[in-house]
Short mmCIF file of all heavy atoms in Angstrom, two decimals:
data_model
loop_
_atom_site.label_atom_id
_atom_site.label_comp_id
_atom_site.label_asym_id
_atom_site.label_seq_id
_atom_site.Cartn_x
_atom_site.Cartn_y
_atom_site.Cartn_z
N PRO D 1 257.42 1.74 -105.15
CA PRO D 1 258.11 0.46 -105.04
C PRO D 1 259.62 0.62 -105.16
O PRO D 1 260.10 1.45 -105.94
CB PRO D 1 257.58 -0.34 -106.24
CG PRO D 1 256.30 0.31 -106.61
CD PRO D 1 256.44 1.75 -106.25
N GLY D 2 260.38 -0.16 -104.36
CA GLY D 2 261.83 -0.18 -104.49
C GLY D 2 262.57 0.99 -103.87
O GLY D 2 263.77 1.15 -104.06
N THR D 3 261.85 1.84 -103.11
CA THR D 3 262.52 3.02 -102.52
C THR D 3 263.17 2.71 -101.17
O THR D 3 263.74 3.59 -100.54
CB THR D 3 261.54 4.21 -102.36
OG1 THR D 3 260.36 3.74 -101.69
CG2 THR D 3 261.14 4.80 -103.70
N GLY D 4 263.05 1.46 -100.72
CA GLY D 4 263.75 1.07 -99.50
C GLY D 4 262.98 1.29 -98.21
O GLY D 4 263.56 1.38 -97.14
N LYS D 5 261.64 1.34 -98.29
CA LYS D 5 260.82 1.55 -97.08
C LYS D 5 261.06 0.43 -96.06
O LYS D 5 261.22 0.68 -94.87
CB LYS D 5 259.33 1.59 -97.44
CG LYS D 5 258.94 2.71 -98.38
CD LYS D 5 257.48 2.66 -98.77
CE LYS D 5 257.11 1.43 -99.57
NZ LYS D 5 257.75 1.35 -100.88
N THR D 6 261.10 -0.82 -96.56
CA THR D 6 261.28 -1.97 -95.66
C THR D 6 262.67 -1.95 -95.04
O THR D 6 262.83 -2.25 -93.85
CB THR D 6 261.03 -3.29 -96.42
OG1 THR D 6 259.71 -3.23 -96.97
CG2 THR D 6 261.14 -4.48 -95.51
N VAL D 7 263.68 -1.58 -95.83
CA VAL D 7 265.05 -1.49 -95.31
C VAL D 7 265.10 -0.46 -94.18
O VAL D 7 265.69 -0.68 -93.12
CB VAL D 7 266.05 -1.12 -96.44
CG1 VAL D 7 267.44 -0.93 -95.89
CG2 VAL D 7 266.07 -2.22 -97.50
N VAL D 8 264.42 0.68 -94.39
CA VAL D 8 264.37 1.73 -93.36
C VAL D 8 263.68 1.20 -92.11
O VAL D 8 264.14 1.42 -90.98
CB VAL D 8 263.65 2.99 -93.91
CG1 VAL D 8 263.34 3.98 -92.79
CG2 VAL D 8 264.50 3.67 -94.98
N ALA D 9 262.58 0.45 -92.29
CA ALA D 9 261.85 -0.11 -91.15
C ALA D 9 262.75 -1.06 -90.34
O ALA D 9 262.77 -1.02 -89.11
CB ALA D 9 260.60 -0.84 -91.64
N LEU D 10 263.50 -1.90 -91.04
CA LEU D 10 264.39 -2.86 -90.35
C LEU D 10 265.51 -2.14 -89.60
O LEU D 10 265.86 -2.51 -88.48
CB LEU D 10 264.97 -3.85 -91.36
CG LEU D 10 263.96 -4.85 -91.93
CD1 LEU D 10 264.54 -5.57 -93.14
CD2 LEU D 10 263.54 -5.86 -90.88
N HIS D 11 266.07 -1.09 -90.21
CA HIS D 11 267.11 -0.31 -89.51
C HIS D 11 266.52 0.42 -88.30
O HIS D 11 267.20 0.62 -87.30
CB HIS D 11 267.77 0.67 -90.48
CG HIS D 11 268.84 0.04 -91.33
ND1 HIS D 11 270.16 -0.02 -90.96
CD2 HIS D 11 268.78 -0.59 -92.54
CE1 HIS D 11 270.86 -0.64 -91.89
NE2 HIS D 11 270.05 -1.00 -92.86
N ARG D 12 265.24 0.81 -88.40
CA ARG D 12 264.59 1.45 -87.24
C ARG D 12 264.51 0.45 -86.09
O ARG D 12 264.72 0.80 -84.92
CB ARG D 12 263.20 1.96 -87.62
CG ARG D 12 262.53 2.79 -86.51
CD ARG D 12 263.23 4.11 -86.30
NE ARG D 12 262.80 4.85 -85.14
CZ ARG D 12 263.49 5.83 -84.58
NH1 ARG D 12 264.65 6.20 -85.10
NH2 ARG D 12 263.05 6.47 -83.52
N VAL D 13 264.20 -0.81 -86.40
CA VAL D 13 264.17 -1.86 -85.37
C VAL D 13 265.54 -1.95 -84.70
O VAL D 13 265.65 -1.97 -83.47
CB VAL D 13 263.80 -3.24 -85.98
CG1 VAL D 13 263.96 -4.35 -84.95
CG2 VAL D 13 262.37 -3.22 -86.51
N LYS D 14 266.58 -1.97 -85.53
CA LYS D 14 267.95 -2.07 -85.00
C LYS D 14 268.25 -0.90 -84.06
O LYS D 14 268.81 -1.08 -82.97
CB LYS D 14 268.94 -2.08 -86.17
CG LYS D 14 270.40 -2.29 -85.75
CD LYS D 14 271.34 -2.30 -86.96
CE LYS D 14 272.77 -2.52 -86.51
NZ LYS D 14 273.71 -2.52 -87.66
N HIS D 15 267.85 0.31 -84.47
CA HIS D 15 268.11 1.50 -83.65
C HIS D 15 267.36 1.41 -82.31
O HIS D 15 267.94 1.67 -81.25
CB HIS D 15 267.68 2.76 -84.41
CG HIS D 15 267.66 3.99 -83.56
ND1 HIS D 15 268.82 4.57 -83.09
CD2 HIS D 15 266.63 4.72 -83.06
CE1 HIS D 15 268.50 5.63 -82.35
NE2 HIS D 15 267.18 5.73 -82.31
N LEU D 16 266.07 1.04 -82.36
CA LEU D 16 265.27 0.99 -81.13
C LEU D 16 265.79 -0.07 -80.17
O LEU D 16 265.76 0.11 -78.96
CB LEU D 16 263.80 0.73 -81.48
CG LEU D 16 263.08 1.89 -82.20
CD1 LEU D 16 261.72 1.45 -82.71
CD2 LEU D 16 262.93 3.12 -81.29
N LEU D 17 266.29 -1.20 -80.71
CA LEU D 17 266.86 -2.24 -79.85
C LEU D 17 268.10 -1.74 -79.11
O LEU D 17 268.38 -2.16 -77.98
CB LEU D 17 267.25 -3.47 -80.69
CG LEU D 17 266.11 -4.35 -81.19
CD1 LEU D 17 266.64 -5.38 -82.19
CD2 LEU D 17 265.39 -5.05 -80.04
N SER D 18 268.84 -0.84 -79.76
CA SER D 18 270.10 -0.37 -79.16
C SER D 18 269.86 0.63 -78.03
O SER D 18 270.75 0.95 -77.27
CB SER D 18 270.97 0.29 -80.23
OG SER D 18 270.42 1.56 -80.58
N ARG D 19 268.62 1.13 -77.92
CA ARG D 19 268.38 2.22 -76.96
C ARG D 19 268.16 1.73 -75.52
O ARG D 19 268.40 2.46 -74.58
CB ARG D 19 267.19 3.06 -77.42
CG ARG D 19 267.59 4.02 -78.54
CD ARG D 19 266.43 4.83 -79.04
NE ARG D 19 265.53 5.21 -77.98
CZ ARG D 19 264.33 5.73 -78.18
NH1 ARG D 19 263.91 5.91 -79.40
NH2 ARG D 19 263.55 6.07 -77.18
N ALA D 20 267.61 0.51 -75.39
CA ALA D 20 267.37 0.00 -74.03
C ALA D 20 267.48 -1.52 -74.07
O ALA D 20 267.09 -2.15 -75.04
CB ALA D 20 265.98 0.41 -73.55
N PRO D 21 268.02 -2.12 -72.99
CA PRO D 21 268.30 -3.57 -73.02
C PRO D 21 267.06 -4.46 -72.96
O PRO D 21 267.13 -5.64 -73.24
CB PRO D 21 269.18 -3.78 -71.79
CG PRO D 21 268.85 -2.63 -70.89
CD PRO D 21 268.50 -1.48 -71.77
N ASP D 22 265.89 -3.88 -72.57
CA ASP D 22 264.72 -4.75 -72.42
C ASP D 22 263.57 -4.33 -73.34
O ASP D 22 262.42 -4.72 -73.14
CB ASP D 22 264.25 -4.77 -70.96
CG ASP D 22 264.09 -3.34 -70.42
OD1 ASP D 22 264.36 -2.38 -71.18
OD2 ASP D 22 263.67 -3.19 -69.25
N THR D 23 263.87 -3.52 -74.35
CA THR D 23 262.85 -3.07 -75.30
C THR D 23 262.18 -4.25 -76.00
O THR D 23 262.86 -5.16 -76.45
CB THR D 23 263.50 -2.17 -76.39
OG1 THR D 23 264.16 -1.10 -75.75
CG2 THR D 23 262.49 -1.64 -77.36
N ARG D 24 260.83 -4.23 -76.08
CA ARG D 24 260.10 -5.27 -76.83
C ARG D 24 259.47 -4.61 -78.05
O ARG D 24 258.79 -3.59 -77.94
CB ARG D 24 259.00 -5.89 -75.94
CG ARG D 24 259.53 -6.58 -74.71
CD ARG D 24 259.85 -8.04 -74.92
NE ARG D 24 258.71 -8.80 -75.42
CZ ARG D 24 258.80 -9.75 -76.34
NH1 ARG D 24 259.96 -10.05 -76.87
NH2 ARG D 24 257.74 -10.42 -76.75
N ILE D 25 259.69 -5.21 -79.22
CA ILE D 25 259.20 -4.61 -80.47
C ILE D 25 258.31 -5.58 -81.22
O ILE D 25 258.62 -6.77 -81.34
CB ILE D 25 260.39 -4.20 -81.38
CG1 ILE D 25 261.25 -3.14 -80.67
CG2 ILE D 25 259.90 -3.66 -82.73
CD1 ILE D 25 262.53 -2.77 -81.42
N LEU D 26 257.19 -5.06 -81.75
CA LEU D 26 256.33 -5.84 -82.63
C LEU D 26 256.54 -5.32 -84.05
O LEU D 26 256.39 -4.12 -84.30
CB LEU D 26 254.86 -5.68 -82.22
CG LEU D 26 253.81 -6.40 -83.08
CD1 LEU D 26 254.01 -7.90 -83.06
CD2 LEU D 26 252.39 -6.05 -82.62
N LEU D 27 256.94 -6.21 -84.96
CA LEU D 27 257.16 -5.84 -86.37
C LEU D 27 256.13 -6.61 -87.19
O LEU D 27 256.14 -7.84 -87.22
CB LEU D 27 258.60 -6.23 -86.78
CG LEU D 27 258.98 -6.15 -88.26
CD1 LEU D 27 258.79 -4.76 -88.83
CD2 LEU D 27 260.44 -6.60 -88.46
N THR D 28 255.20 -5.88 -87.83
CA THR D 28 254.14 -6.58 -88.56
C THR D 28 254.18 -6.26 -90.05
O THR D 28 254.64 -5.19 -90.46
CB THR D 28 252.73 -6.17 -88.06
OG1 THR D 28 252.47 -4.82 -88.45
CG2 THR D 28 252.61 -6.31 -86.57
N THR D 29 253.65 -7.21 -90.83
CA THR D 29 253.47 -6.99 -92.26
C THR D 29 252.17 -7.68 -92.66
O THR D 29 251.42 -8.15 -91.79
CB THR D 29 254.68 -7.50 -93.06
OG1 THR D 29 254.52 -7.11 -94.42
CG2 THR D 29 254.85 -9.01 -92.95
N TYR D 30 251.90 -7.75 -93.99
CA TYR D 30 250.57 -8.18 -94.41
C TYR D 30 250.42 -9.68 -94.60
O TYR D 30 249.39 -10.25 -94.28
CB TYR D 30 250.16 -7.44 -95.69
CG TYR D 30 248.66 -7.42 -95.85
CD1 TYR D 30 247.89 -6.51 -95.14
CD2 TYR D 30 248.02 -8.34 -96.66
CE1 TYR D 30 246.50 -6.51 -95.24
CE2 TYR D 30 246.64 -8.34 -96.77
CZ TYR D 30 245.88 -7.43 -96.06
OH TYR D 30 244.52 -7.43 -96.15
N THR D 31 251.44 -10.35 -95.14
CA THR D 31 251.29 -11.79 -95.44
C THR D 31 252.36 -12.62 -94.72
O THR D 31 253.40 -12.10 -94.33
CB THR D 31 251.44 -12.06 -96.95
OG1 THR D 31 252.79 -11.74 -97.34
CG2 THR D 31 250.48 -11.23 -97.78
#
């Protein structure tokens, strides 16, 4: 807990969006 896994996941979304103008991403969680 608290090691920043979610922060890393969100930054990964940001990186993938920057790679191509039409990239579609699904970001899922539990609740």
Side-chain angles (χ1 to χ4, degrees):
T3 50
K5 299 177 295 296
T6 303
V7 176
V8 169
L10 290 167
H11 279 270
R12 187 69 189 161
V13 172
K14 185 180 180 180
H15 169 70
L16 291 170
L17 286 171
S18 73
R19 282 178 37 192
D22 51 358
T23 303
R24 298 270 304 140
I25 298 174
L26 178 62
L27 170 58
T28 70
T29 187
Y30 202 79
T31 65

